[in-house]
Amino acid sequence: MKLSRTFLIADTHFDHRNVILYENRPWPTVQEMNEEMIKRWNAVVKPEDRVYHLGDVSMNRNGLLLAARLNGRKVLIKGNHDNQKLKDYLPIFDDIRATHLLNNFILSHVPVHPDQKYRFSGNIHGHLHGKNVLLPDGSIDPWYISVSVEHINYTPITLEQLEKRFYERNHNELG
């Protein structure tokens, strides 16, 4: 029996031409972006692996159809641009949720309100693309960790890698 791993990613925006400009993505065309992100995904994710996509898979039905080419057993945490009909998502995703609790991390598309920090170890989220949740002093809030593709080299990242980053970041913050 093969061991499965757990991966996370957000904000692929497949087939969204303008995201290349808005987020300064490194591809000249939407087709090149789509194909390279599919290649990177399938290079690390095996069919038996679980992938939590934290929203904004695509901006349109054509982009959503590209997600059918991605390896893994996929769970969608819906984002603000995931507006296709439910029947269009069902052949691609094993489950569709608003949020999900995983190893005491709350998975969401949009970062959760800071008043909820006491309830979870941290918040793994998308939505902000290249930006981060900041503290009042302008430093990055270590309780939040973004898996927007801009933060993870356009490639799904394992839960193990994220937890290591999270605990290293929080240990450094605590001294």
Side-chain angles (χ1 to χ4, degrees):
M1 179 179 171
K2 293 182 181 181
L3 292 176
S4 66
R5 297 171 299 163
T6 299
F7 288 86
L8 297 103
I9 192 167
D11 300 302
T12 48
H13 284 261
F14 287 116
D15 214 41
H16 182 196
R17 195 173 323 279
N18 288 336
V19 79
I20 294 170
L21 300 172
Y22 298 153
E23 299 302 330
N24 198 28
R25 290 191 178 181
W27 295 285
T29 69
V30 71
Q31 292 80 10
E32 289 175 86
M33 178 187 76
N34 292 340
E35 291 305 317
E36 184 60 26
M37 286 198 303
I38 291 168
K39 178 180 160 188
R40 290 180 189 199
W41 179 304
N42 288 338
V44 298
V45 176
K46 304 302 175 220
E48 65 274 9
D49 293 333
R50 168 77 66 201
V51 182
Y52 290 91
H53 193 302
L54 305 189
D56 290 0
V57 175
S58 69
M59 292 292 287
N60 56 51
R61 193 165 186 283
N62 289 335
L64 182 59
L65 294 175
L66 292 171
R69 295 173 46 198
L70 302 170
N71 286 341
R73 298 175 359 259
K74 298 174 284 298
V75 174
L76 175 62
I77 307 299
K78 283 191 79 175
N80 55 300
H81 292 296
D82 295 315
N83 297 321
Q84 306 308 309
K85 293 184 183 301
L86 179 62
K87 69 179 179 67
D88 295 331
Y89 292 95
L90 293 177
I92 300 165
F93 293 93
D94 291 350
D95 198 4
I96 300 168
R97 297 171 175 223
T99 61
H100 182 71
L101 189 62
L102 181 66
N103 289 13
N104 206 43
F105 287 92
I106 185 70
L107 308 183
S108 61
H109 177 64
V110 175
V112 300
H113 194 278
D115 285 351
Q116 299 303 305
K117 285 183 174 183
Y118 75 95
R119 298 178 65 192
F120 312 104
S121 296
N123 178 206
I124 302 172
H125 65 87
H127 189 64
L128 301 182
H129 291 272
K131 296 181 177 104
N132 290 290
V133 177
L134 302 178
L135 293 167
D137 68 3
S139 64
I140 295 172
D141 188 330
W143 190 79
Y144 295 93
I145 191 158
S146 175
V147 293
S148 292
V149 295
E150 292 82 4
H151 284 276
I152 58 172
N153 197 31
Y154 305 92
T155 307
I157 186 170
T158 66
L159 177 61
E160 182 178 274
Q161 291 171 297
L162 276 177
E163 286 177 325
K164 183 177 181 209
R165 279 187 192 180
F166 179 83
Y167 290 113
E168 285 174 355
R169 214 160 76 172
N170 279 278
H171 176 72
N172 290 339
E173 290 294 316
L174 299 173

